[in-house]
Amino acid sequence: MASEKPLVVVTCTAPVNIAVIKYWGKRDEDLVLPINSSLSVTLHQDQLKTTTTAAISKEFTEDRIWLNGREEDIGQPRLQACLREIRRLARKRRSSGDEDPPPLSLSYKVHIASVNNFPTAAGLASSAAGYACLAYALARVYGVDSDLSEVARRGSGSACRSLFGGFVEWQMGERPDGKDSIARQVAPECHWPELRVLILVVSAERKLTGSTVGMQTSVETSPLLRFRAESVVPARMAEMTRCIQERDFQAFGQLTMKDSNQFHATCLDTFPPISYLNDISRRIVRLVHCFNAHHGQTKVAYTFDAGPNAVVFTLNDTVPEFVAAVRHCFPPESNGDKFLKGLPVGPASLSDELRAALDVDPTPGGVTYIIATQVGPGPQVLDDPHAHLLGPDGLPKAAA
Ligand code: DP6
C-alpha cells in the first residue's frame, strides 16, 4: 500500500471463559448491564481461542469484518457499539493529551479478521472470546490503554470476563451509566495448577434459544430469576471467591453444580420455558453424582451454559478415571481415536465397584468428543507478523 501513513496492524488472541456463577439477565439491554454479578474460569488458549487481526489505514474507505474467512455485516448493532466505544475512548485519551506517540486519525476505517481454533459447529460459545479479542485488538490499534470491560461487554456480556486469565469476576455495578460494571481478576492462572477442565461435546439436534433472547424472556417472566439475582447470587459470589482463594475443590465443585442447576431452573421458570439440557446432559449429571457418591466426596463437578455441552471441573489426578467412566457410559461410536482432544490423558481402568455404581445404560455416541484443558491466561498480542490474518493490502490472506 503506497501511502505516507503505513497500515497499522495488530493481531491478538483471547480465551473462552466458563462461568461458575452464571450471568443471566440484563437490567439495561443497550449498555449490557447485568442483574447480578458473575464469576468465571478462563480456559487455556492452547485448546480454545479466538485470533483477531485489526488494521487501520487512511486508504480504507469503510469498516469491514471477516469471521472465519467470510465477510460479515459490520452494521450489526453490537459490533457498532464496540467500534463507537473504542473510538470514544481513543478520543478521550487524545483530548487528555497523554498520548505517546500521537495517534493516527480516528477517522481511519478499520478492517477486522477473526478466526476460532475450534469448530463453531461444536456449539461452544465463541462470542465471549470473539468480543474480548475484538476489544483487545481495537484497543491496541487505536492506542487505547484504559479498562476494556465496557467495549467487550457491549459486544457480549460474558466477553468482559475473557479480558483476564485465571479466575475472573464481573461486578454488576450500580451506576445507571455502567461505569462500575467491570471485570476484575480474582486469582491468576497459576493459582490452582491442579485444576482441569473437560468439555464434553454433546450433539444437539435442535436449534436453541440464543442467550440474549433467552435471558430477556427470563427477566420479563421468571420470579425465580429475580429471587436468584437479589437473594442468592451475592452470597454465592463471596463463597465462590473463598473456594477459589483456598483451593477448596469440594466446596467449589458443589457450588458450581448448584449454580448451574439454578440457572437452568430459572430457564424452566421462564414462560414459555427454555430448556438447554438434553437427555445426554442429564445422563452426564447423573454420572457425575454417581461418581462422586462412589468416592464419598465431590471429585468432579459439571456446569452447563445455554446448550447441552457439559463442562466438567476436576483435579488432575481424577482425570483418567473420570474419562474412563465417560467412555464406559458413552462408548465412542466411530471416532474412538479422536474421542480425546487437548491435554494428554493417561489410561485408567474402572473398578468393578465403580462400574456398578455408575448405574447408567451406556449410550453409544452420546458424547461426541472430550476436550481436556486447564485454566489459562488472558488475551495476548502476537508479535510475529506471519500471524496477521490480513495482508499488506488490508484484505484477508488466502487460507494456506
Ligand atoms: C449462560 O454473554 O452470551 O453463558 O450479553 O446477551 O451476549 P449477551 O449474553 P452472553 O450470555 C452468557 C450466558 C451464560 C452464562 C455466563 O456465561 O455467565
Side-chain angles (χ1 to χ4, degrees), residues 45-376:
Q45 296 180 49
D46 281 355
Q47 281 74 44
L48 303 165
K49 72 174 172 210
T50 296
T51 304
T52 300
T53 298
I56 55 172
S57 163
K58 78 173 209 206
E59 306 285 316
F60 296 164
T61 54
E62 53 183 349
D63 295 329
R64 295 176 75 181
I65 187 164
W66 292 263
L67 300 183
N68 294 312
R70 262 193 36 199
E71 183 153 19
E72 302 280 338
D73 176 16
I74 192 87
Q76 294 169 51
R78 285 169 169 225
L79 280 173
Q80 286 297 314
C82 292
L83 283 170
R84 248 195 332 270
E85 186 56 24
I86 203 79
R87 286 172 170 145
R88 188 185 65 77
L89 290 173
R91 257 195 313 277
K92 197 167 132 198
R93 184 165 190 255
R94 179 154 64 174
S95 61
S96 69
D98 59 359
E99 78 278 357
D100 169 44
L104 290 149
S105 171
L106 283 170
S107 62
Y108 283 12
K109 300 297 182 193
V110 66
H111 284 191
I112 300 156
S114 192
V115 294
N116 295 326
N117 71 341
F118 53 92
T120 353
L124 301 168
S126 58
S127 67
Y131 280 108
C133 207
L134 178 68
Y136 207 76
L138 288 176
R140 262 131 209 92
V141 98
Y142 282 114
V144 169
D145 56 10
S146 45
D147 187 279
L148 297 176
S149 290
E150 177 157 8
V151 186
R153 202 187 71 216
R154 296 291 287 267
S156 190
S158 56
C160 68
R161 298 187 313 238
S162 277
L163 290 170
F164 298 95
F167 302 81
V168 184
E169 70 173 332
W170 173 15
Q171 300 169 341
M172 63 178 288
E174 286 170 1
R175 292 173 51 152
D177 66 4
K179 295 293 174 225
D180 56 353
S181 188
I182 51 167
R184 170 192 96 87
Q185 190 177 61
V186 172
E189 58 269 26
C190 56
H191 171 72
W192 200 348
E194 302 82 19
L195 195 64
R196 292 292 177 274
V197 185
L198 301 171
I199 303 170
L200 276 49
V201 177
V202 169
S203 55
E205 317 87 41
R206 291 178 302 111
K207 201 168 157 47
L208 300 159
T209 314
S211 304
T212 307
V213 172
M215 69 175 77
Q216 197 169 4
T217 318
S218 296
V219 168
E220 285 161 11
T221 63
S222 168
L224 178 57
L225 181 63
R226 184 181 302 246
F227 172 73
R228 163 180 165 73
E230 287 169 6
S231 307
V232 180
V233 172
R236 285 191 173 177
M237 286 293 292
E239 168 64 1
M240 188 58 90
T241 305
R242 181 201 69 76
C243 295
I244 290 165
Q245 272 157 2
E246 297 176 9
R247 292 184 281 266
D248 178 349
F249 186 80
Q250 301 246 5
F252 170 84
Q254 283 171 29
L255 190 52
T256 294
M257 292 188 281
K258 286 178 184 172
D259 203 69
S260 173
N261 293 341
Q262 189 175 72
F263 154 51
H264 291 280
T266 67
C267 289
L268 271 190
D269 191 45
T270 298
F271 198 81
I274 305 169
S275 56
Y276 289 120
L277 307 184
N278 66 17
D279 277 354
I280 302 298
S281 318
R282 282 183 284 271
R283 278 167 195 262
I284 294 169
V285 168
R286 204 157 67 235
L287 161 62
V288 165
H289 286 289
C290 289
F291 189 93
N292 288 339
H294 167 79
H295 285 286
Q297 54 175 300
T298 301
K299 287 228 166 205
V300 285
Y302 53 78
T303 184
F304 298 84
D305 281 341
N309 296 331
V311 176
V312 170
F313 289 97
T314 190
L315 298 178
N316 57 348
D317 56 1
T318 306
V319 171
E321 191 186 39
F322 183 71
V323 167
V326 174
R327 271 185 196 277
H328 171 74
C329 298
F330 306 100
E333 264 184 337
S334 54
N335 60 345
D337 54 330
K338 299 206 183 78
F339 188 62
L340 254 178
K341 301 175 198 274
L343 295 177
V345 175
S349 52
L350 291 186
S351 67
D352 291 343
E353 293 77 22
L354 178 53
R355 205 181 290 259
L358 289 180
D359 184 35
V360 282
D361 297 330
T363 314
V367 171
T368 320
Y369 59 92
I370 300 178
I371 304 171
T373 185
Q374 58 193 336
V375 185

